[in-house]
Amino acid sequence: MATQNSSLDNLRKGTYTLTVLGCGTMGTAVLAAILNSSFSPYPSKIICCTGSENSSLKLKQTYPNIEVSFGDSNLEAVAKADLIILGCKPFMCSQIMESIKSSLHDQLIISLLAGWTIKNLQTYSPYIARVMTNTPAKYGCGMAVVSLSDEAEQFNDLVLKLINPIGKAIKLPEKNMDAATSLVGSGPAFCLLMMESLIDGGVKMGLPFVAAKECAAKVMEGTAKMVLESGEHPASLKSAVCTPGGTTIGGLLVMEDKGVRSGIARGVEEAANIASKLGKK
């Protein structure tokens, strides 16, 4: 079994064991991104903990290069860890962490849980990295916001190397994490609602569904890339699409009449408000 000092030393030397505790949607997305990437220092061993033998076997079939565990064997997997990625559902966190508490020895914990603050998680280790990412991470085009406890700052570079493979990671103060939970974590669902609306409009005007879906997806993908690569404000790029008296300005005014802009902005606000309550006990 590793000890506190040896785990921290292993992290500093870059010869560390990574245990993913909870391989649900986000835990698996980050795992897939790490396995599909190459960086240094890379984990010497990756162990994934699940709640059942069936889910453990499925995970092993999908990712043959990892070790898996389930049930009581998760205690040993946690004990071997120098670094833990906590990827369970937020409402399950207390139960899971209490069940493996005897195997914890102040490892670095990277939490993917919405609402759980660094202070909440420091019940289990001083070394906490709080990360909010999203489901596109599975495809290497996700976004992540990272906050670190003071004790974990020494591992800043390692945390960013582990999280960057999901697409892009940026570091922000923890006070911004609820907003990041909304914009980054919930954002894909908001974008998918907008995409679905574009598809519906295309179908209404006679496009086949498959064609409308492909067009809408590529329009959103291309527009996002244009914003990122040009560095220009979205409003400036939007204006460049609007021909006087043309189709685009006509459609935009109808959307403004319907409150599309304020509806989306208020949706982000409401999701952030909900996120602020998730970790409260």
Side-chain angles (χ1 to χ4, degrees), residues 194-273:
M194 287 181 265
M195 187 186 298
E196 190 178 9
S197 301
L198 289 172
I199 294 167
D200 287 346
V203 171
K204 171 66 170 63
M205 297 313 296
L207 290 177
F209 174 80
V210 173
K213 183 177 75 170
E214 185 171 8
C215 288
K218 289 300 290 184
V219 163
M220 293 191 77
E221 178 189 44
T223 303
K225 189 171 184 179
M226 183 167 62
V227 170
L228 290 172
E229 294 196 1
S230 72
E232 292 191 44
H233 194 287
S236 175
L237 295 170
K238 182 187 70 176
S239 295
V241 185
C242 296
T243 302
T247 60
T248 306
I249 190 62
L252 284 170
L253 287 175
V254 170
M255 292 180 191
E256 293 286 8
D257 289 343
K258 300 296 184 181
V260 172
R261 180 200 298 260
S262 63
I264 294 168
R266 292 299 186 189
V268 173
E269 179 184 35
E270 177 63 13
N273 289 336

